[in-house]
Amino acid sequence: MNWKVIIWYIGVSLLLVAALMTVSGIVACLTTGDDSRIPLLLSAFLTGIMGFFPLIFVRKGRHRLTFKEGNSIVVGAWFMACLFGMFPFLFYGKEFTPINAIFESVSGFTTTGASILNDIEALPRGLQFWRISTAWVGGIGIITLFSMLTRGMDKSVLSGSEISDVALEALAGSRTNSFANRMMTTYIMLTFISMISLRLTGMGWFDSATNAMSACSTCGFCTRNTSIAFYSNPAAEVVLIVTMLSAGLNFGILFLAYIKGRPNYIWKSDTIKVFLSLVCLAIIIITTDLLANGQYSSFGTALRDASFQVASISTTTGFATQDTTTWPPLCMSVLIICSLICGCSGSTSGGIKIDRAILAAKGIIRKVALTVESNTIQVVRIDGRIRPPGQISDAFCYIICYLVFMFVFAAIYIAFGLDFTTGVTASIAFIGNVGPGFGDVGSMSNYSSIPSFLKATGIIEMLLGRLEIFPILYLLRSIRRG
């Protein structure tokens, strides 16, 4: 591998992070009495120097990136962004100890939305904007954003290292660079429309912008201690439900449906139809269970809260309007299942992804059919296209790795002091980039009380989940083989 080229690209990605810090610093400067301006501008200066350094002393030259180099750039850029992203928090101090600062940074960039803050509203506006900005950049992907500035084969290799193959299959194997362009265009438009819609519901401009950015990135960071429950605004909740569910769909299909004016593409996708059907089923089950257990006396209120929480958890956003730890066991079980499978590939949501779940389910059906009737020809067909056995094997491989890591980390959390419910759901929330779990890390709680060692473990798990496991494994193998 050409490490000079890798360092050069990581340097450029750090310049983008520095630019975002500068924007947040400007927000702080425009806000009276904001004491985060120096931490933000100092962080931007230091990050900019570290990003600019490779551009001066490392000559990129003409070099076509290989898969190993592209993968190393992606993983390296994510690690460095998270590392330098903690500087504004660390320099600001107060609740941000070193481990808390890196935890909040990783949680933002991976769009997990798990926080260590006990008093979010005490943060100055500039630092709040930086916190949400890490989530917005993490939602689209650091390298996907950076690849918009590159051309040719390098752009395709970089985007292909960050965007999974299963995401491209929904568009009949679309080229990675064109998919990245479509994803970016859709992402910006969705954020803008969501922001304007929230403003029309009576929400302030700053809260409208930050909540729209957080919803589109499916992160769930909010500027209020009680999340969306603070606003008690049904109209805003409807806007956020639509935004979260849209962000949980394949952005390439959304691009064709709404920006290109072909809405029938939404209903042609088997994956999207299954996802939205399961969301509706989960809402029905939870609404019914809440009413049956006397949690709510009003059908409308039960439906409202059930709809919001299902949309939030099934897209791994993590916004909250209610404390779901007080809900009946069936409701919690349904939400846990939602946080495992989650949205579509090619979206900003985390989790296993509904695409892989469908592939695995149809693969099992095919296996049973071939065993019982060995003379028949059985194929797996999704969205009208036959999927090769290799894709089915890849889906099974990912799901198995995902569950193994989830159980291993859960065992670590339990072994080091967390109760069973908290440990298991925290592991699901970390690797799925969901944010809230149950027990001590519920929708109205945070992660401030867990030991520092477990916060460090959670950081690793969040990165594994956001990078979808295999890029990190590929890098480890490349390093081991020299």
Side-chain angles (χ1 to χ4, degrees):
M1 289 193 295
N2 190 327
W3 288 102
K4 290 184 177 180
V5 172
I6 293 171
I7 292 171
W8 189 90
Y9 274 106
I10 292 175
V12 175
S13 68
L14 282 179
L15 290 179
L16 291 176
V17 174
L20 260 179
M21 289 177 179
T22 303
V23 172
S24 301
I26 293 173
V27 171
C29 290
L30 294 176
T31 305
T32 304
D34 193 314
D35 57 351
S36 66
R37 62 190 68 174
I38 293 178
L40 284 164
L41 294 176
L42 177 59
S43 300
F45 177 72
L46 295 176
T47 305
I49 288 178
M50 290 303 296
F52 196 61
F53 186 83
L55 275 63
I56 299 175
F57 297 100
V58 177
R59 296 193 63 182
K60 174 176 173 285
R62 293 188 176 182
H63 176 78
R64 179 172 292 183
L65 291 176
T66 63
F67 168 78
K68 288 183 179 180
E69 290 164 349
N71 184 74
S72 299
I73 291 168
V74 167
V75 177
W78 276 93
F79 282 178
M80 295 303 289
C82 292
L83 180 63
F84 281 86
M86 78 170 182
F87 282 1
F89 301 127
L90 191 61
F91 293 156
Y92 181 74
K94 297 186 180 178
E95 286 193 75
F96 292 112
T97 62
I99 187 63
N100 284 352
I102 186 66
F103 184 94
E104 200 78 7
S105 176
V106 172
S107 182
F109 277 111
T110 60
T111 72
T112 304
S115 182
I116 52 80
L117 290 170
N118 290 304
D119 190 359
I120 298 170
E121 295 176 30
L123 284 184
R125 181 160 287 192
L127 205 60
Q128 285 189 341
F129 188 81
W130 167 245
R131 183 170 173 262
I132 304 294
S133 296
T134 61
W136 194 80
V137 172
I140 191 63
I142 297 167
I143 296 300
T144 300
L145 180 62
F146 165 53
S147 68
M148 299 297 102
L149 307 176
T150 61
R151 295 181 179 179
M153 288 299 297
D154 283 2
K155 177 176 180 176
S156 182
V157 172
L158 289 171
S159 298
S161 298
E162 191 167 53
I163 300 172
S164 64
D165 291 337
V166 70
L168 302 173
E169 286 300 326
L171 296 177
S174 174
R175 292 179 303 168
T176 52
N177 54 357
S178 64
F179 183 87
N181 291 335
R182 292 173 177 181
M183 189 171 184
M184 191 68 207
T185 302
T186 308
Y187 193 59
I188 293 173
M189 289 297 295
L190 183 60
T191 304
F192 178 76
I193 292 171
S194 177
M195 179 185 71
I196 298 300
S197 299
L198 288 173
R199 182 69 185 94
L200 293 175
T201 68
M203 196 177 288
W205 276 114
F206 184 77
D207 283 7
S208 296
T210 53
N211 285 325
M213 292 165 68
S214 190
C216 290
S217 64
T218 63
C219 174
F221 272 165
C222 187
T223 57
R224 304 297 179 178
N225 292 329
T226 53
S227 191
I228 304 303
F230 170 85
Y231 304 100
S232 189
N233 186 336
E237 290 170 25
V238 171
V239 170
L240 289 172
I241 287 172
V242 173
T243 301
M244 291 186 292
L245 290 177
S246 298
L249 305 182
N250 186 295
F251 275 37
I253 294 178
L254 283 180
F255 177 87
L256 294 175
Y258 295 112
I259 296 180
K260 288 294 185 180
R262 304 174 190 172
N264 59 315
Y265 268 79
I266 291 283
W267 312 117
K268 282 184 177 180
S269 171
D270 295 336
T271 304
I272 290 178
K273 286 188 286 189
V274 170
F275 171 65
L276 294 179
S277 297
L278 291 177
V279 167
C280 290
L281 179 61
I283 291 172
I284 292 170
I285 292 173
I286 290 178
T287 302
T288 304
D289 193 41
L290 289 174
L291 291 171
N293 282 274
Q295 296 280 128
Y296 290 79
S297 57
S298 166
F299 172 78
T301 306
L303 178 63
R304 170 186 166 185
D305 287 341
S307 299
F308 190 91
Q309 293 305 142
V310 168
S312 178
I313 296 300
S314 63
T315 59
T316 71
T317 307
F319 277 147
T321 54
Q322 289 293 324
D323 185 359
T324 54
T325 58
T326 64
W327 283 7
L330 178 59
C331 293
M332 290 192 284
S333 300
V334 171
L335 289 176
I336 289 172
I337 293 172
C338 289
S339 65
L340 279 170
I341 299 175
C342 305
C344 306
S345 292
S347 69
T348 58
S349 68
I352 291 172
K353 304 290 197 306
I354 194 69
D355 312 61
R356 294 190 180 97
I358 293 172
L359 272 174
K362 291 197 171 188
I364 292 172
I365 294 172
R366 176 178 178 272
K367 172 65 177 175
V368 172
L370 286 175
T371 301
V372 175
E373 301 174 12
S374 57
N375 294 326
T376 62
I377 297 176
Q378 299 287 337
V379 296
V380 171
R381 194 184 300 271
I382 299 177
D383 294 337
R385 297 177 56 241
I386 296 175
R387 300 301 174 93
Q391 284 188 19
I392 301 171
S393 298
D394 289 346
F396 274 112
C397 188
Y398 182 82
I399 292 171
I400 290 171
C401 284
Y402 188 97
L403 294 176
V404 167
F405 277 112
M406 185 194 79
F407 285 123
V408 168
F409 280 102
I412 294 173
Y413 299 140
I414 294 169
F416 281 84
L418 299 187
D419 63 81
F420 182 83
T421 300
T422 302
V424 171
T425 59
S427 182
I428 294 172
F430 281 143
I431 199 167
N433 305 131
V434 180
F438 290 97
D440 295 337
V441 292
S443 55
M444 291 296 176
S445 304
N446 57 49
Y447 289 79
S448 61
S449 62
I450 69 173
S452 296
F453 172 74
L454 297 186
K455 289 176 184 174
T457 309
I459 287 169
I460 297 171
E461 195 175 8
M462 285 189 281
L463 285 167
L464 273 172
R466 181 59 182 85
L467 291 169
E468 297 198 330
I469 299 172
F470 285 103
I472 294 179
L473 299 182
Y474 296 151
L475 179 63
L476 294 175
R477 180 173 177 80
S478 298
I479 294 173
R480 187 174 67 84
R481 294 176 67 89

